[in-house]
Amino acid sequence: MPGLINAHTHVGMTILRGYGEGLPLHRWLEEKIWPIEAKQTAEDAGIAASLAFCEMIRSGTTAFAEMCLHDTKEIFIAAKNAGMRGIIARGLMDFNHTEWVPKIMKEVESTLAHGDTLIKPSVSAHAPYTCSEELLKKAKDLAKKRGLIYQTHASETRKEVFDVQEKHGKPPYEYLDSIGLMDGGSIFAHGGWLTKREIDLAGKRKLNIAHCPVSNLKLATGAIAQITELDSAGANVCLGTDGAASNNSLDMFQTLKIASLLQKHHYWKADAISAQKMLDMATINGARALGVDSGSIEKGKNADIILLERGPNMHPEHDLISNIVFSAGPQNVSDAIIDGKAVMRDRKILSMDEDAMIKKADSASKDLISR
Ligand SMILES: [Zn+2]
């Protein structure tokens, strides 16, 4: 089958898996994640990314969209070494210090030089509650000028919706649309608290929405993206895990199943979304969001393919797609091929020394926490 595509993640945070458990988003960010991330080096982010890529390959993910709060240079190197396909952006923030914007924009320009055929740079402003309007707009302008994908978080928590409404007189999607951020070249992560009008707007703009149900549930953000309605409205819905610090895994099979169950549960409708539609969101829709020609197995397309072994959890086979969405897991992934090259064969990762990588990540994490 085509490899799975993780349309929103933070691979640079993987060494923070399990850190700061049990807090809601804003406290989790302010009290735990941002202070420790401030102590993280670019090298730590690279080690964290390599750990993430081992996990991704084992769980059938062949492409990803990354937003990192750090220097992304080491993440580009790690992705290249792993043989992954993806887009990588530095998540910019100015906390309304508009005087920082020229320096931030100058710094980000230098990151756009990295990349090759498999790994492309992307531009990202973190969220409407951490960025001034000036930074949000400048970042989007830069993405447009360079033909790169723009990434941001939007409408994740109710607090964010209230704050944006109070400050700008509009809910987040309407606000971001009014400043020109919403189009087919943008990926907005989350989209949990949307009004009907915002859903229609997202459809009209052909916006890419990365739904991250596991992270939303775990951080108790309280609302789940209405992906069936967004899809019907014409938006391109794809799936993401978010970072391993808030998920706490990068397993897209889990995300597929939970995303589907949530729609059924929410609408009290067992047929709220089909297994095929769900799988499309994790493959071909993800490819569209990342701007890559992958996500389905067709002549002329990128050869990003995974092989599944039919273990006991995949039998009997009344419905293969349903087995993939509801029964499969990383244990079924035996081989992964990215751009025609085998990165895992018979469950052995070929592109990296996995054991050494895990040891390195454990010691980097220990060292970071003790700083
Ligand atoms: Zn995120």
Side-chain angles (χ1 to χ4, degrees), residues 64-81:
F64 67 96
E66 163 73 0
M67 190 197 291
C68 176
L69 297 186
H70 285 276
D71 185 343
T72 51
K73 195 170 152 230
E74 295 293 328
I75 298 180
F76 274 96
I77 295 169
K80 205 173 165 187
N81 291 340

Side-chain angles (χ1 to χ4, degrees), residues 8-10 13 67 126 153 156 189-190 212 215 242-243 246:
H8 179 71
T9 189
H10 306 276
M13 292 171 79
M67 190 197 291
H126 175 264
H153 295 98
E156 182 175 4
H190 304 301
C212 305
S215 168
D242 216 348
S246 69

